[in-house]
Amino acid sequence: MVNDLTGVTDADVIIVGAGPAGSSTAYHLAKLGIDVLVLEKAEFPRDKICGDGLTPAAVHELIAMGMDISTWNRNRGLTVVGGGHTISLDWPDQKSLPGYGMTRARMQLDHDLIQHAVHAGARLMEGITVTGALTSPMGRVCGVKAKKGRGKDAEALEMRAKMVVDCGGVSARLATSLGIEKVTKRPMGVAARAYFKSPRGNEDYMESQLELWSGVPGQSALLPGYGWVFPMGDGIVNVGLGSVASTANATQLPYKKVFEQWIANVPEEWGFTPENQIGPLRSAALPMSFNRKPHYVSGLVLVGDAGGLVSPFNGEGIAPALKAGRFAASCIAQAFSRTTSVGIDRAMSEYPELLREEYGGYYQLGRVFVALIENPRIMQLCTNKGLPIPRLMTFVHKLLSDGYERKGGDFDDRLITMLTKMVPSV
């Protein structure tokens, strides 16, 4: 605990982590005229394990940030393969969502986003590892402890702020240091990906493989998980696989072995050979369904993976992170107009409410979805019987991609909205 910090700040807001969540929060705060400092442990450009797919929901947020995405790789929709069936589904063109998605390597995306935030007025410090929180005598978070550099020569730092935002990813070390642990009964996913040179690199549709086989399809064991092939443009594809479990302790897929078995059995013309692979296979955990809460407490805000905002339906974390950053910035601006800690906390209570309103019921439906597809028989039945029904798949596509209108829309939009209100919010 530190001494009285009243009136002493290094920034109005300190953000820990410069991924999509941190950059979105920083951008929107800077545009509101708030002094924001972003601390990133790595140095840009740096890589992150991701499928690199941007749904229309993510594109919507990028447009709202004024990002120049005119040269980024666009796609028309998703091709789903399973049970001997192949169906291509266009992204729904909604009043609130564009009718296209995109792909952008995280090496580029994260760099683009943080530079955009810096141009808006945010400050960035790279090579800073946050080790813990500073707290006031009243127990409120009022800054961070950090170190610059590595090893014996690392410089210890203390930086103070009126508000601290943890955008530190799945580890959420700042929140964890304050005893905010993940809820193990919420879904947890794991994804592994590699890049390949391939003739499929310029296709118009992203692809999802609902069945991974250990040998010739239909004649050997069905492996747990799903695969994807996401065209990146310029003859490059992001190839990966993922698995999801209804609890944080249940995901135990041998990813490297499954990946090798899978790509060994794809058509030869795809070019997924060791000679065409770019870099190693890498994996990462996907924290889902608000698996770390509260999202605000006593001067600390959780945004993105730190707050478990990844969708249990499709493993997407970028769109929720970008949107949550926008929500958080708006609430922080309102909070800063208050003159007491009670008033600040009251204003900030809107932030978790906005998250629950936007994703609470939807993610609860996702938990039901995960519990069902954990059973291979149910997954195979849905694949074999559901994929051949175009009308059903149009609905499922909108549901799984978070491509539905929250207000109004067509019959499918209203049905999904009704379902999200029938279940208790997570």
Side-chain angles (χ1 to χ4, degrees), residues 20-270:
S23 293
S24 173
T25 309
Y27 168 80
H28 289 291
L29 285 170
K31 292 295 286 186
L32 291 169
I34 294 173
D35 178 31
V36 54
L37 173 62
V38 184
L39 306 178
E40 166 62 36
K41 65 180 180 180
E43 294 186 359
F44 286 97
R46 55 100 173 103
D47 196 16
K48 287 289 184 179
I49 296 91
C50 184
D52 298 335
L54 300 170
T55 62
V59 176
H60 170 92
E61 294 300 319
L62 294 170
I63 294 171
M65 291 175 66
M67 293 284 295
D68 181 6
I69 58 176
S70 60
T71 62
W72 295 15
N73 191 59
R74 289 195 184 193
N75 54 67
R76 294 176 54 186
L78 182 69
T79 295
V80 184
V81 180
H85 309 289
T86 299
I87 180 171
S88 292
L89 302 159
D90 287 346
W91 297 116
D93 191 1
Q94 302 276 52
K95 65 184 179 184
S96 64
L97 299 174
Y100 63 91
M102 310 189 89
T103 53
R104 186 75 166 174
R106 286 291 297 274
M107 178 81 77
Q108 299 169 303
L109 175 68
D110 286 15
H111 195 201
D112 293 338
L113 284 169
I114 192 59
Q115 287 300 312
H116 192 63
V118 168
H119 291 155
R123 293 182 286 141
L124 171 67
M125 291 181 65
E126 302 174 69
I128 306 294
T129 301
V130 172
T131 57
L134 296 177
T135 55
S136 73
M138 299 300 293
R140 297 182 66 82
V141 176
C142 55
V144 298
K145 301 174 185 178
K147 59 182 181 179
K148 183 178 182 180
R150 298 181 182 276
K152 297 179 180 179
D153 297 328
E155 176 187 359
L157 302 172
E158 289 189 355
M159 287 173 275
R160 295 161 176 79
K162 300 176 185 176
M163 193 82 68
V164 176
V165 185
D166 189 348
C167 299
V170 61
S171 62
R173 289 189 177 91
L174 183 60
T176 302
S177 73
L178 293 167
I180 305 175
E181 300 289 347
K182 67 182 179 182
V183 181
T184 58
K185 292 185 179 181
R186 298 288 169 86
M188 177 69 78
V190 179
R193 66 97 173 103
Y195 294 102
F196 287 85
K197 298 177 183 177
S198 169
R200 305 198 62 191
N202 301 310
E203 293 182 358
D204 290 332
Y205 289 83
M206 300 195 295
E207 181 170 297
S208 178
Q209 297 266 345
L210 300 185
E211 295 174 313
L212 302 178
W213 298 91
S214 62
V216 179
Q219 298 180 18
S220 56
L222 181 63
L223 301 169
Y226 64 96
W228 69 75
V229 181
F230 290 173
M232 304 298 296
D234 297 324
I236 305 295
V237 291
N238 180 315
V239 182
L241 58 87
S243 180
V244 63
S246 56
T247 69
N249 299 320
T251 305
Q252 297 178 343
L253 186 69
Y255 300 100
K256 185 174 182 180
K257 181 179 179 181
V258 173
F259 186 84
E260 291 173 349
Q261 291 175 332
W262 173 40
I263 64 171
N265 290 284
V266 302
E268 184 178 350
E269 60 268 20
W270 289 9

Side-chain angles (χ1 to χ4, degrees), residues 261-420:
Q261 291 175 332
W262 173 40
I263 64 171
N265 290 284
V266 302
E268 184 178 350
E269 60 268 20
W270 289 9
F272 296 169
T273 64
E275 295 77 19
N276 287 335
Q277 185 170 335
I278 305 171
L281 177 71
R282 300 178 64 195
S283 64
L286 305 174
M288 299 174 169
S289 295
F290 298 165
N291 81 332
R292 184 176 276 105
K293 295 167 64 175
H295 290 119
Y296 171 77
V297 61
S298 299
L300 178 69
V301 190
L302 306 186
V303 182
D305 286 10
L309 265 63
V310 176
S311 170
F313 279 112
N314 62 4
E316 181 186 21
I318 294 176
L322 294 173
K323 185 174 291 187
R326 176 162 57 87
F327 289 167
S330 175
C331 293
I332 290 170
Q334 293 296 329
F336 282 177
S337 72
R338 311 298 174 92
T339 57
T340 67
S341 59
V342 172
I344 289 171
D345 289 347
R346 183 178 295 117
M348 287 305 301
S349 70
E350 185 185 19
Y351 172 63
E353 289 177 1
L354 288 171
L355 292 181
R356 284 195 298 272
E357 181 181 358
E358 186 72 12
Y359 295 113
Y362 179 64
Y363 282 1
Q364 183 72 331
L365 281 180
R367 293 178 67 187
V368 175
F369 171 76
V370 170
L372 289 173
I373 66 171
E374 272 188 311
N375 187 322
R377 292 182 179 179
I378 294 179
M379 181 64 179
Q380 197 165 13
L381 177 65
C382 293
T383 300
N384 292 338
K385 301 298 183 181
L387 278 180
I389 307 175
R391 180 66 188 86
L392 174 62
M393 289 307 299
T394 299
F395 170 82
V396 170
H397 180 48
K398 188 175 285 189
L399 172 66
L400 268 58
S401 68
D402 191 9
Y404 71 100
E405 294 284 5
R406 264 56 171 183
K407 297 179 181 179
D410 61 16
F411 174 80
D412 290 348
D413 297 314
R414 295 193 297 272
L415 177 57
I416 295 171
T417 300
M418 181 183 70
L419 291 172
T420 65

